[in-house]
Amino acid sequence: MALVVLVVLLGVGLAVVWGLQRQLIYYPDASDVPPAGDVLPGARDVTLETHDGLELGAWYVPADADRDTGLAVLMAPGNGGNRAGRADLARDLADRGLAVLVIDYRGYGGNPGSPSEDGLAADADAAVRALADLGHPVDRTIFLGESLGTGVVAGLQQRHRPAGIVLRSPFTDLADVGGHHYPWLPVRTLLRDRFPVLEPLAASDVPVTVVYGDRDDVVPTELSARVADGVPVLVERVVLEGAGHNDAVMFGPRVADAVARLARSVG
């Protein structure tokens, strides 16, 4: 009898995890964000139109006119916050001569919809189209993925080949991160949203820069290192000493400098 009760409780527990898993993956700040120009002088609001009928808010920040490299950055954020929290990094990138599209996924930053792997892929596709409409073709665009966004851009580059990719705090795939934090759960069996990074990039010839902190408490440092070891065209590995996953340095000039160096190498 005790064994039966244990099996039932285990089954119920796994069912709960299955049903609530996206609440453990996505932490959107759904609040509205201010107009782009109120936060970043010269920036403007743009609307991304997804193939499944959503209209998503985003910010477009033109490059500094005196330093314009002719390249753009598509910024795919991680699983938390909204685009207001990426304003400083967007400004740093624009100051280095890069136009920037800062997106918010569905469910983030006042956008409609609920996040999922397929949904975020559709949002990223819409961002590529929006940049093209703004005069930035994909072959003159660098994809900048942050944490969960590294999974978004790893898939995106299979559909739209960019000039280069910067991965900030990448993981091999999301199941490896989940297995690290929840070793008692069959994460790989339960997980619906997979976000592979290393597998799609291992078959890619796109130039890649990998940036990560050596004190990351969210994405294990060894996973980021495995990504850097596994990409065929690694331009640079930038290890930020003493940096955790959400430390200020991960959203500031040192990341922007890494993007700018990649831009020079592919430009």
Side-chain angles (χ1 to χ4, degrees):
M1 184 62 180
L3 180 59
V4 172
V5 171
L6 180 61
V7 170
V8 170
L9 290 175
L10 180 60
V12 170
L14 291 177
V16 170
V17 171
W18 169 263
L20 298 178
Q21 62 179 273
R22 283 185 173 143
Q23 296 180 36
L24 300 174
I25 297 172
Y26 306 102
Y27 297 93
D29 182 343
S31 57
D32 291 332
V33 298
D38 290 355
V39 180
L40 295 162
R44 64 181 186 266
D45 295 293
V46 298
T47 300
L48 313 183
E49 298 181 358
T50 69
H51 69 73
D52 55 346
L54 296 182
E55 293 187 349
L56 308 178
W59 289 346
Y60 174 70
V61 189
D64 180 279
D66 294 331
R67 300 185 178 94
D68 194 347
T69 63
L71 290 167
V73 176
L74 191 166
M75 190 186 299
N79 68 337
N82 60 37
R83 60 191 180 276
R86 278 77 183 183
D88 289 344
L89 180 55
R91 181 186 296 110
D92 287 339
L93 292 166
D95 288 345
R96 287 157 176 76
L98 298 160
V100 188
L101 182 65
V102 191
I103 72 171
D104 265 327
Y105 308 120
R106 57 190 65 203
Y108 289 74
N111 285 333
S114 299
S116 66
E117 183 174 15
D118 288 343
L120 269 57
D123 302 344
D125 286 336
V128 169
R129 293 193 295 272
L131 271 174
D133 290 342
L134 290 163
H136 303 289
V138 69
D139 62 355
R140 298 291 294 165
T141 297
I142 291 171
F143 296 164
L144 169 57
E146 165 200 306
S147 190
L148 188 75
T150 66
V152 175
V153 301
L156 184 64
Q157 61 88 33
Q158 293 181 300
R159 304 184 299 276
H160 310 277
R161 188 185 189 282
I165 299 172
V166 177
L167 304 172
R168 200 278 274 172
S169 306
F171 45 75
T172 47
D173 62 33
L174 190 58
D176 284 339
V177 180
H180 172 80
H181 290 287
Y182 307 102
W184 59 90
L185 287 175
V187 172
R188 197 165 293 278
T189 300
L190 292 173
L191 198 62
R192 285 184 284 178
D193 292 352
R194 317 295 292 194
F195 289 104
V197 175
L198 182 54
E199 181 181 0
L201 288 176
S204 174
D205 63 351
V206 175
V208 175
T209 287
V210 178
V211 182
Y212 57 94
D214 65 358
R215 297 290 180 87
D216 198 314
D217 57 350
V218 177
V219 175
T221 298
E222 58 267 24
L223 297 184
S224 295
R226 283 174 56 189
V227 173
D229 292 340
V231 296
V233 187
L234 181 67
V235 175
E236 186 178 13
R237 180 198 308 252
V238 180
V239 182
L240 302 178
E241 294 184 5
H245 193 78
N246 291 311
D247 288 354
V249 68
M250 307 304 270
F251 302 90
R254 294 187 66 183
V255 174
D257 286 340
V259 178
R261 289 192 296 270
L262 179 64
R264 288 193 295 271
S265 75
V266 302

